[in-house]
Amino acid sequence: MAVSGIIMLLYLVAHMIGNLKAFAGRETFNSYSHWIRTIGEPAVPAQTFLTIMRILLVVTVVAHFWAAISLWRQARRARPQRYVTKKPAAQSYASRTMRWGGVIVLAFIVYHILDLTLGVANPEGPGTTPYDRLVAGFSNPLVVAFYTIALVLLGMHLRHGIWSATQTLGQSNKRREKTVNHFALAFSVLLIGGFLIVPFSVLLGIID
Amino acid sequence: MTATREGATFATGTAGDDPAMEKHDMTLTLRVWRQKGPQHKGKMVTYRVTDISPDMSFLEMLDVLNEQLILAGDDPVVFDHDCREGICGSCGLMINGQAHGPEQTTTCQLHMRKFKDGDSIDIEPWRASAFPVIKDLSVDRRALDRIVQAGGYISAPTGTAPEAHSILVAKKDSDAAFDAATCIGCGACVAACPNASSMLFTAAKVTHLGLLPQGQPERNDRVVNMVAQQDREGFGGCSNIGECSAACPKGISMETISRLNHDLLGALRAGARPKS
Ligand code: HEM
Ligand code: SF4
Ligand code: FES
């Protein structure tokens, strides 16, 4: 759970920074997209790096999802009879939404790939340039709304996930606890802010 | 009844002999989980108790309810208790959805002054499949004993107390070990945890022994076996939500869980495997 989460997290940082190239205009963005597909050429065939990344990500998503489902089932078995009255004392909203939030994020990832990578769920359709698909997709306020909801959920997932992973890996202690939690919050806000700025800029016509 | 009364309260008189305090006595509506036995289905039953002094402990309030039930020819409510001074860990109850009630202490040390006249109070047993209900509010917590049996001990010969300075322990470590050792095995952590995980309990034991020199020889085996046992008992997995530590009457910290995980990863890397 922690290891797969951290791998995805590192990927998200790179992905967010890459997205910001949309501000540099159509050419830069499309050539960045082209560059990803040609890293290492001609030493290795086209798309080698991208394919490795894709395999790694699919494996981590599956591993993370599988671990999440088994934790979820274990928890249900551990308390078949619920409390009539239960009052939470310490849990954050983020920690409470890990499971359903995670499932929504997964659904989002599928839609996101259909939209911007494959283009089949995009108004411009497949066979267009990445920049065109980006602008076309985010011109629709409903698409932006869905991206926003999913990304805010992802942000909360990471807010609890970073703290939880620090505990799981045995790297936390009383002194670090506050720092880790503040870091998790700041990191999540920055990351999600970085992601959201692109769709909103398209919607507001700053990118077109 | 006087056993749990604190000095200060005693000095100012008790509700019984001071007419001025009598009007503070409370009438409460209790909704109590009644369940005939492990195989029976239980349900919440509503009772009314009167003349509850704010100086009573929560358990004394239940004693009043039981006297009332016995006089009426009803079956008294079964609940666990022993020391009534916050050290045995047997008195766990879910009170208005909080383990041991609204104060971070044991149920026996919770006083009725935390409630108001006319309040309605829901009382339920700890709920976890690893803690089956015996009757009413009493649950079988032996799963925690079996976790301790799996590794929560040292096998060094003890004998008479050795010279205290013969093995030096850093103050920081002895303090942290002592904090962890205050765990009384009440099970509130399991009860409060949305996953019904016993991680805080196990982590308290692993921390307590793992920080002291006497705990070193079995350190790796201890953590892998105790963790394997808690899984076998059917407790849930830990997702670091923090409800356990907030409910713990001894304030065992989340740090112990990190320490357990640290020991566990180290032990697995060193090749320790649980006994099957
Ligand atoms: C595929 C959809 C996903 C689902 C269903 C899911 C579900 C979960 C669940 C149930 C947990 C453990 C619960 C907890 O700690 O309270 C968790 C932890 C975590 N998740 Fe996800 N998640 C998903 C996607 C992601 C993504 C995309 C990332 C990050 C980039 C991520 C990062 C993390 C991290 C860092 C943890 C903490 C790991 C630990 O404590 O060991 N998750 N996830
Ligand atoms: S860790 Fe705290 S809540 Fe859990 S059993 Fe020990 S004393 Fe009770
Ligand atoms: S009765 Fe012993 S701790 Fe409450």
Side-chain angles (χ1 to χ4, degrees), chain A residues 20-103:
Chain A
L20 294 179
K21 287 212 187 285
F23 287 106
R26 181 187 304 268
E27 266 63 66
T28 320
F29 191 72
N30 286 340
S31 68
Y32 165 67
S33 162
H34 179 72
W35 171 71
I36 295 175
R37 277 150 236 265
T38 54
I39 293 175
E41 263 185 79
V44 291
Q47 303 235 2
T48 304
F49 171 77
L50 192 66
T51 309
I52 293 173
M53 282 303 292
R54 283 177 175 165
I55 293 172
L56 180 71
L57 284 171
V58 168
V59 170
T60 51
V61 168
V62 170
H64 196 79
F65 192 69
W66 178 80
I69 296 293
S70 45
L71 254 181
W72 197 338
R73 294 188 44 198
Q74 193 186 353
R76 291 188 60 142
R77 273 198 306 270
R79 182 169 293 132
Q81 166 106 48
R82 295 188 168 216
Y83 289 104
V84 176
T85 309
K86 179 77 170 72
K87 199 187 278 169
Q91 59 182 253
S92 58
Y93 191 72
S95 71
R96 231 179 341 186
T97 49
M98 287 309 267
R99 289 173 192 162
W100 283 111
V103 170

Side-chain angles (χ1 to χ4, degrees), chain B residues 149-151 153 221-222 224-225 228-229 232 272-276:
Chain B
Q149 280 162 9
Y153 51 78
D221 291 334
R222 171 178 311 117
V224 293
N225 285 314
Q229 187 64 33
R232 231 174 274 142
R273 293 292 176 270
K275 288 196 287 272
S276 48

Side-chain angles (χ1 to χ4, degrees), chain B residues 59 81-91 106 108 184:
Chain B
L59 298 185
H81 60 103
D82 188 19
C83 70
R84 297 208 176 198
E85 54 186 21
I87 55 173
C88 75
S90 58
C91 60
T106 55
C108 58
I184 52 177

Side-chain angles (χ1 to χ4, degrees), chain B residues 89 100 144 180 182-190 198 200-202 204-205 244 247-252:
Chain B
H100 294 297
L144 296 185
T182 58
C183 164
I184 52 177
C186 65
C189 42
V190 177
S198 55
L200 192 69
F201 167 81
T202 307
K205 307 300 164 200
C244 51
C248 173
K250 302 297 163 184
I252 302 293

Side-chain angles (χ1 to χ4, degrees), chain B residues 109-238:
Chain B
Q109 294 298 298
L110 173 68
H111 289 86
M112 296 314 293
R113 64 181 85 97
K114 284 275 158 188
F115 299 88
K116 288 196 310 289
D117 187 33
D119 272 1
S120 173
I121 307 175
D122 285 5
I123 311 170
E124 295 178 72
W126 286 171
R127 295 197 193 278
S129 49
F131 289 165
V133 171
I134 299 169
K135 193 170 187 223
D136 297 334
L137 302 173
S138 164
V139 300
D140 180 350
R141 286 178 298 118
R142 279 179 297 177
L144 296 185
D145 299 344
R146 290 187 292 268
I147 294 175
V148 169
Q149 280 162 9
Y153 51 78
I154 60 160
S155 55
T158 47
T160 51
E163 158 60 33
H165 289 299
S166 60
I167 307 174
L168 296 177
V169 183
K171 169 96 167 92
K172 174 166 79 55
D173 291 342
S174 74
D175 282 353
F178 197 84
D179 283 348
T182 58
C183 164
I184 52 177
C186 65
C189 42
V190 177
C193 174
N195 299 317
S197 170
S198 55
M199 194 58 125
L200 192 69
F201 167 81
T202 307
K205 307 300 164 200
V206 165
T207 299
H208 156 205
L209 296 171
L211 281 171
L212 297 175
Q214 293 85 343
Q216 298 315 310
E218 287 134 332
R219 185 163 172 181
N220 286 351
D221 291 334
R222 171 178 311 117
V223 66
V224 293
N225 285 314
M226 290 181 82
V227 168
Q229 187 64 33
Q230 70 175 356
D231 286 342
R232 231 174 274 142
E233 296 291 348
F235 289 106
C238 174

Side-chain angles (χ1 to χ4, degrees), chain A residues 104-116 118 120-121 146:
Chain A
I104 295 172
V105 169
L106 180 64
F108 164 76
I109 295 171
V110 173
Y111 167 75
H112 175 59
I113 292 171
L114 294 177
D115 179 22
L116 293 179
L118 301 176
V120 290
F146 179 51

